[in-house]
Amino acid sequence: MDFNTFFNAIESKMSFEMVMKRLTQFIETDPKRHYVLSIGTDSHVHKNETRFVTAIHLHRVGKGAWGCLHSHIIPRAIQNVREKISYETMLSQEVAYLFVSERLGELIELLVPYKRDGADFTFQIHLDIGRKGATKEFIHEMTAKIAAMGIEPIIKPEAYAAFSYANRYTK
């Protein structure tokens, strides 16, 4: 999949390199903070398509956030919940892989000199599943996929990157 078209309320058509630049700039403005980088995907079934939106959300804990999104459309209405949740999870994993190779280390390195001042970094994948509703039966399966990557899986109600940020752009 082509993950070179990210957007947010201010910018469109950002490459992943531009996303990295924005994340770096955001951290550099206040490197003594705890940062949580979250990847999460949500989807919405329309009449003839299913729209998936994957969010990259960098939270400066207690003091703002920067984020962007990537939209992916499947030209059919996906009615099977397992298929839809599996696809959401896979898209989040693919975006997370963009960071895992070396990019995550670049972001963490920005904070190393400020570790004693409270700087910290957490990397998570937010899944649009929870203990209530039709998705509860997929919790173990999907969280195991994320944990196998060495990334912390987060589910509802804490999975804000998926069910809140990405969700706003699926309609």
Side-chain angles (χ1 to χ4, degrees):
M1 281 186 222
D2 178 22
F3 286 107
N4 260 334
T5 53
F6 292 91
F7 65 94
N8 61 21
I10 299 169
E11 296 180 90
S12 61
K13 297 183 181 178
M14 285 184 280
S15 67
F16 185 69
E17 290 303 315
M18 184 59 72
V19 169
M20 282 300 300
K21 183 176 180 181
R22 294 291 180 259
L23 294 170
T24 299
Q25 290 170 336
F26 187 72
I27 290 172
E28 287 175 338
T29 61
D30 196 356
K32 296 179 182 180
R33 296 280 180 172
H34 177 200
Y35 288 86
V36 178
L37 179 61
S38 306
I39 312 297
T41 303
D42 195 11
S43 61
H44 186 79
V45 179
H46 298 269
K47 183 179 178 184
N48 296 315
E49 67 184 27
T50 305
R51 177 170 298 159
F52 294 85
V53 175
T54 302
I56 297 173
H57 187 270
L58 183 61
H59 181 201
R60 183 186 294 137
V61 178
K63 201 169 181 189
W66 184 89
C68 65
L69 305 138
H70 177 271
S71 182
H72 180 76
I73 296 173
I74 300 291
R76 65 185 173 84
I78 298 175
Q79 301 300 332
N80 182 287
V81 177
R82 172 176 252 113
E83 179 184 8
K84 194 167 79 107
I85 296 298
S86 293
Y87 206 83
E88 287 177 8
T89 301
M90 185 264 310
L91 288 171
S92 292
Q93 287 177 294
E94 287 195 13
V95 171
Y97 280 127
L98 295 173
F99 288 97
V100 170
S101 60
E102 64 185 56
R103 299 312 204 143
L104 203 56
E106 292 174 18
L107 296 174
I108 293 168
E109 285 297 315
L110 297 170
L111 302 173
V112 168
Y114 306 97
K115 186 76 175 158
R116 289 186 178 169
D117 296 317
D120 200 4
F121 192 89
T122 305
F123 188 42
Q124 305 171 334
I125 290 182
H126 290 194
L127 299 169
D128 191 33
I129 57 178
R131 300 199 189 291
K132 298 177 182 176
T135 62
K136 66 183 172 205
E137 67 183 273
F138 308 119
I139 291 173
H140 178 72
E141 178 184 354
M142 298 306 150
T143 58
K145 289 179 180 188
I146 303 309
M149 296 174 66
I151 300 171
E152 181 182 7
I154 304 294
I155 64 170
K156 290 178 183 176
E158 288 81 24
Y160 56 83
F163 84 85
S164 182
Y165 184 37
N167 175 268
R168 286 186 252 160
Y169 295 87
T170 61
K171 306 299 186 255

